[in-house]
Amino acid sequence: MQTLTRLDLDDARILMAGAEAHARTIGVPMCIAITDEAGQLIAFQRMEGGKVTSTTIAIDKAFTAAAAKKATHEYGTSSQPGAPAYGIASAIGGRLMVVGGGLPVLWEGEVVGGIGVSSGTPAQDQAVAQAGIDDWIARQAK
């Protein structure tokens, strides 16, 4: 296995292809964003029919997952009124996302990037993001 500290464009293409394939399987055109470990955008695509309003959301989901090193859905409960992270969604100029669809990409226990998906339900977005990661991991093992 290779040593990996951050995603590159080739990795982003693999993540994107795996996510897009799953989006096609479930019949939901998505916006898909891939970032490096610092949350900086590497690649983005809006599938034909993906919601224009989901462009920024997908990018911010990938940013949150990578930079905060945490899946976006994990912020959902903790960001509700009365919870410890209430108000965090307005942090960083509103870029911090608290709905499902953003996952950190891990390699040997370290965050090497993020994937953000938007246009479906939070569960669909998360499943598409996970499919991208699963495909990328499977290809790393080869």
Side-chain angles (χ1 to χ4, degrees):
M1 292 200 170
Q2 65 179 343
T3 301
L4 183 70
T5 58
R6 70 176 50 94
L7 299 177
D8 62 19
L9 187 55
D10 289 336
D11 294 311
R13 288 179 176 135
I14 294 167
L15 286 155
M16 191 84 63
E20 181 180 351
H22 189 71
R24 290 188 189 289
T25 298
I26 64 171
V28 180
M30 297 285 193
C31 292
I32 306 164
I34 312 297
T35 64
D36 66 13
E37 81 291 352
Q40 298 304 299
L41 189 64
I42 299 172
F44 173 82
Q45 87 165 329
R46 182 171 64 92
M47 294 172 63
E48 188 70 35
K51 297 175 186 173
V52 173
T53 55
S54 292
T55 298
T56 302
I57 295 169
I59 292 169
D60 287 352
K61 284 180 180 183
F63 168 81
T64 299
K69 300 180 179 358
K70 189 173 187 175
T72 56
H73 68 275
E74 292 178 21
Y75 281 112
T77 302
S78 64
S79 67
Q80 298 304 306
Y86 177 64
I88 199 166
S90 63
I92 319 169
R95 288 199 70 190
L96 202 101
M97 297 300 298
V98 299
V99 296
L103 297 174
V105 179
L106 301 171
W107 182 254
E108 297 180 348
E110 297 295 321
V111 175
V112 295
I115 181 169
V117 177
S118 187
S119 280
T121 66
Q124 289 171 326
D125 294 350
Q126 186 174 330
V128 168
Q130 186 63 58
I133 292 171
D134 291 346
D135 188 51
W136 178 77
I137 289 172
R139 292 180 190 227
Q140 299 308 306
K142 293 181 182 178

